[in-house]
Amino acid sequence: MAKATLYFPRDFKWGCATAAHQVEGGNDKNDWWAWEQGEGHIKGDQKSDRASDWWGDGFEKDMDFAAQMHNNAHRLSIEWSRIEPQEGQWDTAAIDRYRVMLKSMRERGIEPMITLHHFTSPQWLIERGGWETPEVIPRFERFVTKAVESLKDLCDLWITINEPNVYAVGGWVSGVDQTSEAVAQNAMPPGKNDLGLALTVMDHLMLGHAAAYHAIHRLQDNARVGLAHHMRLFEPYRSNSWLDRWVAGNRDRVFNQTILDAMLRGRLRFIKRNRSLRNTADFIGLNYYTREFTRFDRHNLPGMILGNGLVKPGIEMSDGNYGEIYAQGLFRFLKRLERTGKPIYITENGLPDADDDQRPRYLITHLRAIWQAINQNVPVMGYYHWSLVDNFEWAEGWNLRFGLVELNPQTQARQLRRSGELYGEVCQTGTLNEELVYKYTPELIDTLFPG
Ligand code: BGC
């Protein structure tokens, strides 16, 4: 018999998140596919290939796992380059395929949340300047209009754009060699290193978001629309150094706060006001993974303003030094986001952990942080774990494994990890209880249920 029990709200959304290019396979008409062909872009020159075979049989298999885990929600993305393979040409077979997928989720009692842009863009768009030119805004709006018109009877929960900050930094800042001391940054296409262009791209992403937000509301009365915002906790490497505190604060403003200011207050680059952008979030989508320590570096200008992201000795990191495991960061962000007055969905949270020795603890401590926030009346509506199944992890290729379901990409064989079993028990009961903590992470019992 369970002694102590932490209850989540009855209508809480329990799910996982995925992105089209990472799971579908064969997405050969987008910029990532082209990027994967370039030597040295992906670790070991790996490719997405069949990915997790969602364009084949993989989707149904993984939805069976989601159902087995009692998920009542799932966040997936649709691939622009499939729906509009050439400018202005719509592929009705691709749209129909997405309709089949959404119906099949609904039949299992799984409510979809659709992301309209998750890092990939059609090659034809890139050839016309991609996100670097303002023409992308009406182009994205036209795609969103088509997608929403075609799918709105099956979905009313939309994410316009995934992580504009990660996208702009990955594509337009990280194409530079990092010093060995620094936290490794993964480059994304187009692999540039141009801060001015990164800011332009960021403006276009936010204006594209606003155009999509208004278009969706014109098309669907009951739509709820947001953006998935990656927030990373930046803390001073030396807590007693005001210079480290200053660079950590700057990083936070640039990486975390600008996006919130844009979609809530209509502010671009701290000062420019844009009325169409103001209040374009019905909810906040929070992607939270980790915390990063930041140290002032007087040797170069970026280091003096934004510092270097460093790993502190002695902290617990996930596979491949991906990031520190720090659940309290999630609680702190939820408290900070409470001030926006918007409902919050945790649209991503997870870690790479191939042997699943850290994930049970990660899951339980992060869910406990969410429970703690809800108990302080923070309106958290749902949790989407990243990810349902091992998938193509961008520049890391297949090296990092985020799935609750383990996948062998060669044979496409799958198996539910122990953390998947654990998540299933949480989703089934809508609780975290003492019995479950004993079963999966006995080492946490005194911390979670003291006394
Ligand atoms: C991205 C995902 C990615 C995950 C893990 C997020 O920033 O949205 O596409 O796989 O992080 O790195």
Side-chain angles (χ1 to χ4, degrees):
M1 251 315 268
K3 288 189 214 121
T5 303
L6 312 182
Y7 290 92
F8 285 78
R10 234 175 236 280
D11 55 355
F12 198 74
K13 297 289 171 211
W14 295 105
C16 298
T18 51
H21 189 76
Q22 296 179 268
V23 289
E24 285 179 357
N27 267 318
D28 57 5
K29 292 186 177 53
N30 71 27
D31 53 345
W32 259 92
W33 187 276
W35 179 253
E36 288 163 31
Q37 313 312 314
E39 212 179 301
H41 289 166
I42 314 293
K43 291 243 172 93
D45 290 332
Q46 300 173 82
K47 309 236 176 336
S48 59
D49 253 329
R50 280 171 80 194
S52 319
D53 199 28
W54 275 32
W55 214 250
D57 297 335
F59 173 76
E60 292 291 331
K61 290 185 193 158
D62 290 332
M63 280 304 135
D64 282 345
F65 281 113
Q68 188 187 328
M69 287 190 287
H70 304 274
N71 286 187
N72 60 11
H74 183 82
R75 174 180 172 226
L76 77 167
S77 81
I78 54 174
E79 174 64 35
W80 186 353
S81 65
R82 279 196 195 276
I83 293 180
E84 192 180 2
Q86 294 301 329
E87 179 159 23
Q89 285 178 20
W90 307 108
D91 185 336
T92 45
I95 296 175
D96 286 348
R97 162 83 185 159
Y98 283 120
R99 290 189 57 81
V100 169
M101 289 162 75
L102 294 172
K103 280 186 194 154
S104 142
M105 289 165 70
R106 292 257 178 219
E107 276 158 20
R108 292 177 173 89
I110 296 175
E111 187 190 339
M113 172 191 264
I114 295 184
T115 309
L116 294 153
H117 187 273
H118 195 125
F119 293 168
T120 52
S121 299
Q123 267 302 97
W124 64 258
L125 180 85
I126 302 300
E127 283 154 18
R128 292 163 178 72
W131 290 90
E132 295 176 5
T133 68
E135 285 79 41
V136 68
I137 300 160
R139 287 175 177 142
F140 182 56
E141 184 180 349
R142 182 180 55 192
F143 158 67
V144 169
T145 302
K146 181 69 180 182
V148 173
E149 275 171 349
S150 313
L151 305 175
K152 67 179 178 182
D153 57 323
L154 296 167
C155 178
D156 54 23
L157 196 52
W158 305 93
I159 296 284
T160 54
I161 294 183
N162 183 65
E163 304 186 343
N165 50 1
V166 172
Y167 182 73
V169 170
W172 285 268
V173 181
S174 295
V176 62
D177 290 328
Q178 302 283 322
T179 66
S180 56
E181 246 202 337
V183 169
Q185 298 283 342
N186 289 323
M188 296 183 171
K192 294 190 182 172
N193 176 24
D194 182 332
L195 202 55
L197 257 186
L199 291 172
T200 304
V201 165
M202 187 84 132
D203 289 353
H204 296 155
L205 289 164
M206 293 316 296
L207 295 171
H209 155 77
Y213 177 89
H214 296 298
I216 299 170
H217 277 297
R218 279 196 298 276
L219 292 166
Q220 194 182 39
D221 295 336
N222 54 331
R224 286 157 297 151
V225 187
L227 172 153
H229 181 26
H230 185 120
M231 296 187 82
R232 187 171 281 246
L233 196 66
F234 299 110
E235 302 234 88
Y237 188 79
R238 299 160 297 185
S239 53
N240 58 355
S241 153
W242 71 267
L243 285 170
D244 287 5
R245 287 207 296 273
W246 139 264
V247 288
N250 287 344
R251 265 197 190 219
D252 178 74
R253 272 183 287 283
V254 172
F255 195 78
N256 294 327
Q257 191 58 35
T258 42
I259 306 269
L260 296 173
D261 285 350
M263 64 186 177
L264 299 174
R265 301 201 208 164
R267 272 202 208 166
L268 280 179
R269 307 193 189 187
F270 303 112
I271 35 171
K272 274 197 265 170
R273 299 240 172 216
N274 181 294
R275 288 193 44 205
S276 75
L277 190 51
R278 245 189 77 224
N279 208 8
T280 51
D282 303 327
F283 60 88
I284 308 284
L286 168 65
N287 292 1
Y288 172 76
Y289 285 87
T290 187
R291 138 169 101 170
E292 197 173 299
F293 290 96
T294 308
R295 188 156 82 176
F296 179 81
D297 179 358
R298 65 187 160 81
H299 295 106
N300 58 67
L301 192 63
M304 280 193 262
I305 299 172
L306 298 172
N308 289 331
L310 295 177
V311 175
K312 238 184 179 177
I315 57 172
E316 186 183 3
M317 300 291 284
S318 52
D319 285 2
N321 262 351
Y322 179 83
E324 183 194 2
I325 299 180
Y326 184 61
Q328 208 49 23
L330 180 54
F331 173 77
R332 289 166 63 182
F333 274 131
L334 291 173
K335 290 296 284 179
R336 171 164 163 188
L337 291 173
E338 182 185 11
R339 285 184 256 142
T340 65
K342 304 281 182 191
I344 303 163
Y345 287 92
I346 294 153
T347 37
E348 283 180 35
N349 173 242
L351 81 169
D353 182 21
D355 62 2
D356 209 40
D357 67 333
Q358 294 173 309
R359 193 175 286 104
R361 202 155 21 93
Y362 184 99
L363 250 175
I364 287 183
T365 51
H366 285 74
L367 292 174
R368 152 80 205 209
I370 297 166
W371 176 87
Q372 196 189 344
I374 294 174
N375 264 272
Q376 296 185 18
N377 288 326
V378 182
V380 188
M381 318 304 286
Y383 175 80
Y384 297 80
H385 187 79
W386 186 275
S387 184
L388 173 56
V389 61
D390 288 344
N391 56 53
F392 180 71
E393 176 56 21
W394 309 115
E396 291 284 342
W398 294 94
N399 291 10
L400 299 183
R401 302 305 183 100
F402 281 83
L404 293 172
V405 175
E406 181 180 1
L407 171 80
N408 176 332
Q410 274 79 43
T411 62
Q412 290 290 320
R414 300 157 142 78
Q415 196 180 331
L416 193 65
R417 291 194 162 104
R418 189 165 154 78
S419 51
E421 287 169 26
L422 147 62
Y423 190 48
E425 289 191 38
V426 175
C427 300
Q428 183 177 21
T429 60
T431 68
L432 264 185
N433 61 55
E434 221 175 319
E435 202 177 21
L436 177 128
V437 175
Y438 260 126
K439 182 165 162 192
Y440 292 98
T441 56
E443 70 278 17
L444 286 179
I445 204 80
D446 291 336
T447 334
L448 261 66
F449 299 105

